[in-house]
Amino acid sequence: MIFYERPAALNRERHRNLKLDNTSGDFSFAGRTNSILLAVTEMTEAAKDYPIVFTGKEGGPFTLAALVGLRDSENLFVGANGVWQEGVYLPAFVRRYPFVLAEAEGGGEDLTVCIDESYAGLNTERGDPLFGEGGAESPLLEGAVAFLTLFHTEMQQTRLFAQTLSDAGLLDRKSIEVNRGGQKQVLEGIFVVDQQKLAALDDAQVLALFRSGALVAIHAHLMSLTHVERLAQRMDQRMRAPAKPESEAAARGAPAQRPAKAGKGERSDKRASAQAPPQ
């Protein structure tokens, strides 16, 4: 599960004394991905800041993702200090962390509330408790579970929305190519709505998409693709920024990174794939 290093089922005894401190605003946990899963209900807001694409395999299943980077393991909206850029929409997939709902092996309707025990905001001294006296769920935990449940429902709606477009033959595989400084960056593994196929739908199909709300989401998706160039500009700025000294990176608990260079006999193309898996 992306972001989660040590997910564990929430347990009243094991986690009885845990508290959650979310005041640091540290999103370092989300800094090493280039895409974030997105619910269809978030599209109109997310489309203001991110390119929104469909991820999956030929024939499905498909889901939605907001692109936050063009290279593997790089989120261009999380700074070196772990802060998510101010004023930019924060996807629910990120906001639910460190909690997550896990499905039982083999599928089924049973869901288990899990928590990432590696999250630095979990401790026994400061923040809001997960459990109250007698092991009852605290208001914080009740709110988190309600949020997880709603997000799970909306992700199911998202899969149905994406499958509707796939069944209508509207989704086409796409690669995003960005040329910078003689080096071509290619992002693969994404699908977008083909506007010519959309325009070729008959009146009954268009009316059905409109009445279901899918047509609004489709237009939000298409408009969001204009952000690809802005994302490339963000990558330019990140690449031009002076590298942090290794000692400083080590102090933050993160490995120092060096920009990749093409050596003799190597291609200068850098290929990446959208990392958000269908959920």
Side-chain angles (χ1 to χ4, degrees):
M1 294 187 294
I2 194 169
F3 299 167
Y4 299 82
E5 296 181 10
R6 291 206 319 270
L10 199 60
N11 182 280
R12 295 180 190 276
E13 295 303 321
R14 177 174 177 175
H15 302 123
R16 176 186 290 270
N17 297 318
L18 273 187
K19 296 181 179 181
L20 178 63
D21 181 11
N22 266 337
T23 59
S24 67
D26 186 356
F27 292 93
S28 297
F29 63 87
R32 295 182 178 273
T33 183
N34 63 10
S35 54
I36 305 288
L37 285 177
L38 201 68
V40 65
T41 51
E42 301 179 89
M43 288 186 72
T44 53
E45 284 300 315
K48 299 174 183 177
D49 299 307
Y50 312 104
I52 299 173
V53 299
F54 295 83
T55 64
K57 299 179 180 179
E58 292 285 356
F62 294 99
T63 191
L64 287 169
L67 296 182
V68 294
L70 296 174
R71 299 184 291 184
D72 282 336
S73 304
E74 181 179 61
N75 185 340
L76 295 169
F77 291 86
V78 176
N81 57 357
V83 174
W84 200 287
Q85 183 180 332
E86 187 177 354
V88 173
Y89 178 76
L90 189 63
F93 187 88
V94 178
R95 283 182 275 133
R96 70 177 182 172
Y97 185 84
F99 300 98
V100 65
L101 284 181
E103 297 181 357
E105 288 188 23
E109 297 182 358
D110 292 336
L111 300 171
T112 301
V113 177
C114 297
I115 194 166
D116 187 358
E117 294 181 329
S118 71
Y119 179 50
L122 290 172
N123 63 94
T124 58
E125 299 176 356
R126 64 186 186 282
D128 298 314
L130 301 187
F131 296 99
E133 294 183 4
E137 294 182 357
S138 69
L140 167 73
L141 185 54
E142 288 179 345
V145 172
F147 185 81
L148 291 173
T149 303
L150 176 61
F151 183 68
H152 179 75
T153 299
E154 292 181 346
M155 287 305 297
Q156 290 178 315
Q157 296 170 351
T158 302
R159 286 192 288 270
L160 290 175
F161 161 70
Q163 192 59 48
T164 297
L165 302 193
S166 176
D167 292 343
L170 295 177
L171 298 184
D172 275 357
R173 181 180 289 275
K174 183 81 171 178
S175 293
I176 294 176
E177 296 186 4
V178 178
N179 290 286
R180 288 295 189 273
Q183 186 179 92
K184 183 169 69 174
Q185 181 69 39
V186 183
L187 183 64
E188 300 175 322
I190 64 176
F191 294 77
V192 300
V193 170
D194 186 303
Q195 296 191 58
Q196 291 185 337
K197 294 179 180 179
L198 178 63
L201 294 179
D202 61 39
D203 291 351
Q205 290 174 300
V206 173
L207 182 60
L209 290 174
F210 170 74
R211 287 185 170 169
S212 69
L215 200 57
V216 173
I218 290 172
H219 287 306
H221 153 67
L222 292 173
M223 292 177 64
S224 77
L225 298 180
T226 62
H227 292 307
V228 170
E229 178 58 29
R230 295 181 183 177
L231 205 56
Q233 292 171 3
R234 284 178 176 272
M235 186 177 69
D236 286 347
Q237 295 171 359
R238 179 71 60 91
M239 293 173 69
R240 289 196 301 265
K244 294 288 184 180
E246 290 192 27
S247 58
E248 183 177 341
R252 296 198 311 271
Q257 291 185 313
R258 298 178 179 85
K261 296 181 180 179
K264 287 185 178 181
E266 295 181 347
R267 294 185 53 167
S268 61
D269 292 10
K270 298 298 180 181
R271 294 182 177 269
S273 298
Q275 294 163 279
Q279 188 187 65

